[in-house]
Amino acid sequence: KGGKTKEKVARVSEAEIELFERDLVLEFRGSKLQRRRARKYAEGVMAQRTGPVHISSSESDDGDLTMLQVPQEAVGFVTGRAGNFLRSIEKEW
């Protein structure tokens, strides 16, 4: 589409990302930490296409993870209509 997801992943990981569509390859440039985060975020986005994604704080924390338990009755509020509340937080931060 317009590459917005790639731009978001690049922004939050602080890595440069290039997609070679013909070869189906993502290239990450930056420090080791930036590349590791970019890869982790890209893999998470791709995993969402096939089903639920489960994150383990012990395996996934590169200093970029805060987990919060959300009560069932608050899930709708947190996600918002069609995910708009989470997207607005994403844009702000």
Side-chain angles (χ1 to χ4, degrees):
K1 296 179 186 179
K4 291 200 182 286
T5 301
K6 184 184 85 167
E7 289 174 12
K8 289 178 193 176
V9 170
R11 186 181 73 243
V12 298
S13 67
E14 299 179 329
E16 292 179 42
I17 301 175
E18 189 164 351
L19 171 62
F20 297 97
E21 290 187 55
R22 191 186 74 184
D23 301 320
L24 301 176
V25 171
L26 275 175
E27 181 179 277
F28 306 112
R29 288 186 298 280
S31 71
K32 188 173 185 175
L33 179 60
Q34 290 167 334
R35 294 190 321 267
R36 184 171 62 226
R37 286 180 175 173
R39 181 178 178 152
K40 177 176 66 173
Y41 303 156
E43 287 174 344
V45 169
M46 290 185 284
Q48 290 176 21
R49 307 282 295 172
T50 60
V53 176
H54 301 280
I55 299 171
S56 164
S57 61
S58 61
E59 296 172 14
S60 299
D61 191 5
D62 289 323
D64 61 345
L65 176 65
T66 301
M67 296 184 80
L68 176 67
Q69 293 291 328
V70 178
Q72 182 62 43
E73 60 272 12
V75 169
F77 172 77
V78 170
T79 56
R81 173 170 270 143
N84 286 329
F85 182 71
L86 287 177
R87 277 192 207 87
S88 70
I89 291 172
E90 185 178 78
K91 283 180 185 174
E92 183 177 336
W93 298 100

